[in-house]
Amino acid sequence: MITAVDIGTSLTKAAAFDDAGRVLAEASRQSHLEHYPDGRVEQDLDDVVSTVAAVVRDVGERTGQQPRAVALTGQGDGLWLRDSAGRPVRQPISWMDGRAAAVVKRWQRDGVSRQVYERTGNGLFPGAQGPLLAHLRDNEPESLRNAAVAGYCVDSVLHVLTGEISVDASDASVPFLDADTREYDERALEACGLTEFRHLLPKPARPRQLFELDANGAELLGLPQGLPVTAGPFDLPACAVGGGLHEFGDGLLIVGTTLACQVLTESGDRRWQEEPSGMWLCTPEENQLLHGMPAMVGTASLDWVLDLLGMEIGDLGGALEASPPGANDVSALPFLAPGGERSPFVDPRASGQISGVRLGTSRSDVVRAVCESVAYAARHCFEAAGLNGKLVACGGGTRSHPWAQVFADVLGQPLHLTDDPGMGARGAAVTAARALGDEVDSGEWTLPLREVRPNPEVRDRYEDGYRRYRETLDSMRELWRDWMG
């Protein structure tokens, strides 16, 4: 048995897998996310670790078994500063945080973002480590002076459980790693003016490197000291592993808090965009990269509009059935995150809108317009990422069949869906099993997929809707620049 833990932005989940990839038990715990009015978003490392301990102990009690290993995955990006003992020197900063928006706008204006993109292929956005380091350098230098490590969520939990300072190459990919060589690009650090903090960046771990629980970690999890632990890849590439992506050009759509669009790409075969954005992510396979376009839109946009309209998630299916494709000419832009947008364009000023509303507009029309706008954002991302193969989809948003149908219709190709709510945990477990020396057939571990095919009768409607979405977005980006500088 392997216990895999997926440390999400607000929910930590664990699943115990047997040697054939069957789920024996699952558990989850909410973690606290602090949203401040000025766009700052932070977490508490002790709170996060407590959720990890709780779910590991829970699945252990439910199975009555001791795992062969604990496999960690979880949210990426942000900035989790800690000292050499693994204690935070300040509250961890979430990937959703917007405090470094001014840094990103300045770097875009001065050409720094372009220089980094040309070195690493990564777009800089407010919640990425580079802009956050620069913001703290200018506004909170004592945090950097007190820190020994500038890491991420998963390696912070690993540090607490094992005493080891490390980072998975998938996490380190953004923003300073050259994903082809798996080495930090010194010129990218220099372009950002962050060379003096190079010592804070841990050396990336070997693919599938094994660690061991120390006495503290063993006590926290209720497991023996020395038990093997893996830490990575982080949740986006972990989902790709769990979803069984193996052909170059295949894609994965995750409809969660992040609308994560990824395409499996051969190392050395990277594609570049005119506008710097997106991510090139290392995977456990050294010849494979993921071209990630993780948009800041997602289920949070839907949650916001449902709350605004006094509706609940259970009302979603009925609302989408009540309003026709095209939402009776109501349209939306779904950019509601404090940090603006990061894929397939970077704009800290990005904001949402709903247009085409009239006295006869229904709540269902507004809900459908927002759902369609998120699907248009996914199409925009996949066009940039280079999707040309099979598309697997997962995440909370795909559990609604009507919304999954919207994605299929807008994207114009079938979605291959799984009912597995823990694809990231599954990918982490596969990675751990291989690290232990198991011959793992990912096809056997991948749950059966069901297909949602696009409806050809609405194809023209959504082609026109996507064209209008792109035109509206282009116009609004000019206005955001004029309004907000």
Side-chain angles (χ1 to χ4, degrees):
M1 181 182 91
I2 292 174
T3 297
V5 184
D6 186 351
I7 311 162
T9 304
S10 58
L11 184 70
T12 298
K13 298 170 286 187
F17 295 89
D18 69 11
D19 292 344
R22 293 183 292 262
V23 176
L24 303 176
E26 296 177 283
S28 64
R29 292 291 189 282
Q30 291 283 341
S31 54
H32 181 65
L33 196 66
E34 191 70 49
H35 288 267
Y36 297 95
D38 59 359
R40 291 176 296 131
V41 185
E42 298 182 347
Q43 292 198 257
D44 182 284
L45 179 57
D46 289 337
D47 174 61
V48 171
V49 170
S50 72
T51 67
V52 172
V55 295
V56 169
R57 286 176 174 271
D58 199 344
V59 295
E61 291 173 1
R62 296 185 189 192
T63 61
Q65 300 181 44
Q66 178 183 299
R68 295 191 293 141
V70 173
L72 302 176
T73 185
Q75 60 181 294
D77 299 308
L79 180 60
W80 296 56
L81 289 174
R82 54 192 194 271
D83 63 21
S84 59
R87 296 301 305 156
V89 301
R90 67 163 338 275
Q91 291 286 78
I93 303 174
S94 169
W95 60 271
M96 300 174 68
D97 192 273
R99 77 188 69 195
V103 173
V104 172
K105 287 189 285 185
R106 183 174 72 249
W107 284 356
Q108 288 177 328
R109 183 187 66 236
D110 297 343
V112 173
S113 293
R114 168 60 63 181
Q115 292 179 59
V116 173
Y117 182 73
E118 290 176 350
R119 299 296 305 177
T120 69
N122 289 307
L124 296 170
F125 59 95
Q129 190 183 80
L132 289 170
L133 284 169
H135 176 85
L136 293 186
R137 176 199 62 200
D138 298 337
N139 297 277
E140 197 182 301
E142 66 277 6
S143 292
L144 298 179
R145 285 196 297 269
N146 294 333
V149 188
Y152 305 86
C153 174
V154 176
D155 58 274
S156 296
V157 174
L158 177 76
H159 198 167
V160 173
L161 297 180
T162 69
E164 298 279 356
I165 296 175
S166 184
V167 65
D168 190 78
S170 61
D171 261 321
S173 295
V174 184
F176 296 124
L177 205 72
D178 182 328
D180 287 327
T181 65
R182 300 190 178 224
E183 298 287 343
Y184 292 113
D185 189 291
E186 306 297 341
R187 289 175 62 183
L189 276 159
E190 182 181 357
C192 295
L194 296 172
T195 301
E196 65 181 300
F197 304 112
R198 170 67 175 82
H199 67 283
L200 297 179
L201 306 182
K203 180 179 176 60
R206 302 184 307 276
R208 306 189 188 96
Q209 184 170 337
L210 286 171
F211 303 89
E212 295 182 352
L213 289 180
D214 64 10
N216 179 62
E219 182 178 359
L220 283 168
L221 302 188
L223 295 172
Q225 186 173 347
L227 189 83
V229 180
T230 58
F234 81 93
D235 56 6
L236 301 190
C239 284
V241 174
L245 265 66
H246 60 276
E247 296 289 338
F248 295 130
D250 285 353
L252 176 69
L253 169 66
I254 307 173
V255 188
T257 306
T258 298
L259 181 75
C261 304
Q262 306 176 84
V263 175
L264 192 66
T265 307
E266 187 173 10
S267 295
D269 190 27
R270 291 192 278 175
R271 55 185 286 156
W272 305 87
Q273 300 184 95
E274 181 178 345
E275 183 172 1
S277 68
M279 305 172 174
W280 285 101
L281 303 175
C282 295
T283 74
E285 306 299 331
E286 295 192 70
N287 70 321
Q288 296 178 358
L289 301 177
L290 283 163
H291 194 187
M293 290 287 164
M296 302 287 280
V297 304
T299 55
S301 300
L302 174 63
D303 292 340
W304 174 83
V305 76
L306 290 174
D307 182 65
L308 183 71
L309 298 174
M311 302 170 70
E312 298 180 352
I313 193 64
D315 300 320
L316 176 59
L320 291 175
E321 296 289 353
S323 181
N328 289 316
D329 295 324
V330 178
S331 61
L333 294 179
F335 310 112
L336 304 179
E341 186 50 276
R342 61 178 176 177
S343 294
F345 62 93
V346 175
D347 197 330
R349 298 157 292 203
S351 60
Q353 73 172 46
I354 298 173
S355 59
V357 177
R358 300 178 178 86
L359 289 176
T361 296
S362 69
R363 294 190 301 171
S364 295
D365 293 332
V366 175
V367 170
R368 176 173 272 276
V370 170
C371 288
E372 290 178 347
S373 73
V374 175
Y376 290 140
R379 177 168 170 179
H380 194 185
C381 287
F382 276 121
E383 287 178 354
L387 174 68
N388 58 21
K390 176 181 177 180
L391 182 58
V392 177
C394 65
T398 63
R399 294 175 200 156
S400 163
H401 179 79
W403 199 9
Q405 186 66 56
V406 170
F407 279 103
D409 292 341
V410 167
L411 292 166
Q413 72 176 82
L415 297 187
H416 299 270
L417 298 175
T418 175
D419 293 321
D420 183 2
M423 193 177 285
R426 182 173 293 274
V430 168
T431 301
R434 288 173 173 159
L436 292 170
D438 296 358
E439 293 292 332
V440 177
D441 183 339
S442 59
E444 292 180 359
W445 270 67
T446 303
L447 292 183
L449 301 174
R450 55 188 172 86
E451 190 175 71
V452 177
R453 301 192 63 82
N455 178 1
E457 295 181 3
V458 301
R459 180 65 177 168
D460 290 343
R461 180 72 181 180
Y462 280 127
E463 285 297 313
D464 182 61
Y466 181 60
R467 176 186 56 78
R468 288 189 291 113
Y469 169 85
R470 293 292 302 272
E471 290 174 351
T472 302
L473 176 57
D474 289 343
S475 297
M476 287 306 300
R477 291 193 67 188
E478 292 184 12
L479 289 175
W480 294 333
R481 283 191 290 268
D482 293 340
W483 290 344
M484 299 177 228

